[in-house]
Amino acid sequence: MLMHPGFDPVALRVGPLAVHWYGLMYLVGFALFWWLGQRRLRHEPYRRLGWQPRDVEDMLFWGVLGVIVGGRLGYVLFYQPLTYLGQPWRVLAVWEGGMSFHGGLLGVLVAMWLWARRQRRPWLQVMDFVAPCVPAGLAAGRIGNFINGELWGRVADPSLPWAMVFPAAGPLPRHPSQLYQALLEGLTLFVLLWLFARRPRRIGEVSAAFLVGYGVFRFVAEFFREPDAHLGLLALNLSMGQWLSMPLIVAGLALWGWAWRQTSNRPQE
């Protein structure tokens, strides 16, 4: 049985300025998107269509806005709507914490739709570019959760070699579910998507693979993650994260089916 190291959530202090590890992990995620995006430009059809490094930088700017705005509003609407309905000004208090991946995903979808429209490019082609570059950033975010000792897992058998006590969660050993999610939704999904996207694919296929892959991995990881205290388990003993993941899986399968049914939609060589 292990003990959580109890990291100081503040990575760096410069006078009155405190830089938190979680904020740094967001910056790492955005930097990874930029770095991977530069390499994604070498894949087809983007190399043939003349996509430029400036396009990656523009998408990153729009994506950051989508992640922050969508992630915050998603947390408010999906997880604590009544709390913020009574105190709506707290929606802006992002320093208190509270971000939702599913809300951030919706924010990115809207942001990329706006960018694609401005650039007069197919929205799904843009999303196919973005999808393989995202999981590495998700892994960084989950590592940030682990450093903070938050979003811990459910109670585990003490004989589990990596069972861990999180001081804020009490004396019982728990699954380090943040690391499970970093490995599943982050590293594993990244490797699978990157390899899948390197070959010519029908427009929409890479986006569909991301939706299905993330939805499945998140659904599985939620069995080891402690449900939100104010929500608990919902219908069918599933968590909010699992209920929000199921529409992603359905949407991904539907998009994949659509991509294959379009007779004019050939792999983008």
Side-chain angles (χ1 to χ4, degrees):
M1 190 170 62
L2 305 175
M3 288 290 296
H4 183 265
F7 298 103
D8 185 343
V10 176
L12 178 66
R13 296 183 187 275
V14 181
L17 178 65
V19 181
H20 288 73
W21 282 108
Y22 194 66
L24 284 179
M25 290 301 103
Y26 264 78
L27 292 179
V28 168
F30 296 143
L32 285 171
F33 177 91
W34 177 86
W35 185 75
L36 291 170
Q38 302 301 317
R39 281 139 189 83
R40 184 89 171 103
L41 292 173
R42 304 170 188 172
H43 298 170
E44 297 296 350
Y46 307 102
R47 180 171 58 179
R48 172 172 51 82
L49 295 175
W51 282 48
Q52 300 297 319
R54 175 66 181 272
D55 294 319
V56 178
E57 296 164 6
D58 288 346
M59 283 189 292
L60 177 59
F61 173 78
W62 285 80
V64 168
L65 294 179
V67 166
I68 295 174
V69 176
R72 183 60 175 168
L73 292 179
Y75 178 79
V76 169
L77 295 174
F78 298 150
Y79 291 92
Q80 297 204 47
L82 296 181
T83 299
Y84 289 94
L85 184 63
Q87 300 175 301
W89 60 88
R90 287 183 57 199
V91 173
L92 302 177
V94 294
W95 55 88
E96 295 180 355
M99 297 286 282
S100 162
F101 165 81
H102 297 89
L105 174 61
L106 292 175
V108 169
L109 292 175
V110 173
M112 292 301 98
W113 177 78
L114 292 172
W115 185 80
R117 186 177 180 183
R118 287 168 60 92
Q119 299 296 319
R120 298 182 180 179
R121 287 176 172 158
W123 177 58
L124 280 177
Q125 186 182 85
V126 172
M127 294 310 303
D128 285 347
F129 181 95
V130 168
C133 305
V134 171
L138 299 181
R142 293 308 178 193
I143 292 173
N145 293 143
F146 178 77
I147 291 173
N148 283 351
E150 61 189 6
L151 304 184
W152 49 74
R154 303 187 191 191
V155 175
D157 188 327
S159 64
L160 186 70
W162 54 85
M164 183 172 292
V165 174
F166 292 86
L172 296 177
R174 295 177 177 273
H175 290 279
S177 57
Q178 315 96 322
L179 301 183
Y180 296 177
Q181 291 186 262
L183 290 172
L184 289 174
E185 306 159 15
L187 180 60
T188 304
L189 184 58
F190 164 70
V191 171
L192 293 176
L193 271 182
W194 193 263
L195 294 176
F196 182 75
R198 285 174 60 89
R199 301 287 299 275
R201 302 292 175 185
R202 291 171 172 81
I203 189 169
E205 275 194 284
V206 177
S207 299
F210 173 84
L211 292 173
V212 174
Y214 179 86
V216 169
F217 285 142
R218 177 66 182 270
F219 191 92
V220 171
E222 285 283 332
F223 283 116
F224 301 95
R225 175 174 163 176
E226 182 72 15
D228 295 89
H230 61 285
L231 292 177
L233 293 176
L234 306 177
L236 302 179
N237 281 329
L238 298 178
S239 68
M240 175 61 82
Q242 288 172 314
W243 278 107
L244 292 174
S245 294
M246 286 191 284
L248 297 185
I249 299 172
V250 172
L253 293 173
L255 177 57
W256 219 323
W258 173 88
W260 276 84
R261 285 196 303 271
Q262 307 305 304
T263 56
S264 60
N265 188 9
R266 302 298 182 189
Q268 302 178 76
E269 299 179 357

